[in-house]
Amino acid sequence: MKMHIKEFAVLTGVSVRTLHYYDEIGLLKPSYVDEQNGYRFYDEHSLERMQEIMFYRELDFSLKSIAEILSSENYDKQKALTEQKQLLILKKERLERLISALDSAAKGDYTMNMNVFDNSEFEAAREKYAREAKEKWGNTDAYKESKEKSSNYSKEKWNEVNNEMNGIISEFAELMKNGAKPYDSDVQETVKKWQDCITRNYYSCTKEILAGLGEMYTADERFKENIDKHGEGTAEFISRAIKVYCS
């Protein structure tokens, strides 16, 4: 079975733009690319890979984490599916409690236990699984380097790193607010500062890695939402500036 990218997008419910991005960051490569016209095609293995990606996305894993896990030589698909199922069961049980509470509220019963809104069990289980999955399968060079560098960071060091990164994002937001363009020299200098910050505190941030991060800042809603706390449109601005820097 061979599907054109548009057919694959319809079948999976994922946009063509997203599939292009997954290809760029190496998360989901087409099974075949026509050299004459550049058309991308997908097959059964592509569907299997997309299903794995979508399961992880349903559990709120970032694209970076998914890529690290799926690219590992030690990745155990069956074990991953079993653990994902347990997480989804927790999620289902919470939704069932909420539905039951809504039914009671519709009947005028407001004496329900407010703990039905508590999602801490699922969040704790998800975080534990994410941590264990990375430990078992997240063996990319960047992940290894990041883990090695940050393993001994104290609380004060983490605060220092977070403050530095938030400060640089605020610089981007201020530049955007003042009408700067992504290709302006002061914006490009800030991109370099961002790249150096990542290299110094986490892993060697090559232009290739930085380009992937830039795409992720707008493609991953959680990254976008967090960055845009510094000002609406900041994530898009940084993404465009990084694209200029890496081109």
Side-chain angles (χ1 to χ4, degrees):
M1 177 179 66
K2 187 167 71 173
M3 291 170 285
H4 185 270
I5 189 170
K6 290 183 179 179
E7 296 176 284
F8 191 74
V10 171
L11 181 62
T12 59
V14 175
S15 70
V16 170
R17 179 185 177 188
T18 297
L19 290 174
H20 282 167
Y21 175 60
Y22 284 2
D23 182 11
E24 289 174 14
I25 65 174
L27 184 58
L28 177 65
K29 290 286 187 182
S31 59
Y32 168 75
V33 178
D34 191 312
E35 293 183 359
Q36 294 186 345
N37 52 37
Y39 289 165
R40 294 170 169 89
F41 293 90
Y42 297 81
D43 59 12
E44 293 93 338
H45 294 296
S46 307
L47 276 174
E48 183 179 341
R49 174 85 168 190
M50 176 57 80
Q51 184 185 63
E52 293 177 273
I53 293 169
M54 293 176 78
F55 275 134
Y56 279 112
R57 292 296 288 152
E58 184 65 30
L59 295 168
D60 299 324
F61 278 66
S62 69
L63 295 178
K64 181 174 180 289
S65 294
I66 297 171
E68 289 172 349
I69 292 169
L70 296 184
S71 64
S72 170
E73 295 179 358
N74 300 321
Y75 179 61
D76 186 335
K77 180 184 175 183
Q78 289 306 122
K79 186 171 179 60
L81 289 174
T82 299
E83 293 174 337
Q84 288 168 357
K85 180 181 177 180
Q86 295 305 312
L87 286 173
L88 288 172
I89 288 172
L90 288 176
K91 198 171 186 180
K92 171 176 169 285
E93 289 173 349
R94 177 173 182 266
L95 288 174
E96 287 176 343
R97 291 195 298 270
L98 286 171
I99 291 170
S100 177
L102 280 171
D103 288 340
S104 297
K107 296 174 184 176
D109 180 7
Y110 294 98
T111 60
M112 64 180 183
N113 186 343
M114 296 301 286
N115 286 336
V116 296
F117 296 103
D118 183 14
N119 196 33
S120 59
E121 183 180 11
F122 169 75
E123 287 299 327
R126 184 183 66 80
E127 289 175 10
K128 180 175 181 290
Y129 173 57
R131 185 170 59 252
E132 292 177 349
K134 283 189 175 183
E135 289 172 355
K136 287 183 290 188
W137 304 316
N139 65 348
T140 62
D141 291 340
Y143 176 71
K144 287 179 179 177
E145 186 179 354
S146 175
K147 186 176 180 181
E148 184 178 345
K149 273 191 177 181
S150 62
S151 60
N152 295 318
Y153 281 5
S154 63
K155 182 178 179 180
E156 291 73 19
K157 177 60 177 179
W158 277 118
N159 287 335
E160 178 187 322
V161 172
N162 289 332
N163 287 337
E164 180 182 5
M165 299 188 82
N166 281 324
I168 297 173
I169 294 174
S170 293
E171 287 183 34
F172 278 117
E174 190 65 23
L175 286 165
M176 179 187 68
K177 181 180 177 182
N178 292 332
K181 304 299 181 185
Y183 49 78
D184 287 346
S185 60
D186 47 358
V187 177
Q188 290 298 295
E189 287 173 8
T190 307
V191 174
K192 180 63 168 61
K193 186 186 295 186
W194 181 251
Q195 181 186 30
D196 291 344
C197 176
I198 295 172
T199 296
R200 187 168 57 256
N201 294 300
Y202 294 102
Y203 48 79
S204 299
C205 186
T206 63
K207 281 194 174 183
E208 182 181 5
I209 291 175
L210 184 63
L213 291 173
E215 293 282 355
M216 194 183 299
Y217 296 156
T218 54
D220 190 311
E221 283 301 318
R222 284 171 301 170
F223 273 103
K224 185 175 184 297
E225 181 180 349
N226 189 52
I227 293 172
D228 279 355
K229 288 177 181 178
H230 295 262
E232 189 67 30
T234 304
E236 178 67 29
F237 183 77
I238 294 175
S239 180
R240 289 168 59 199
I242 288 175
K243 188 172 183 179
V244 172
Y245 181 84
C246 294
S247 62

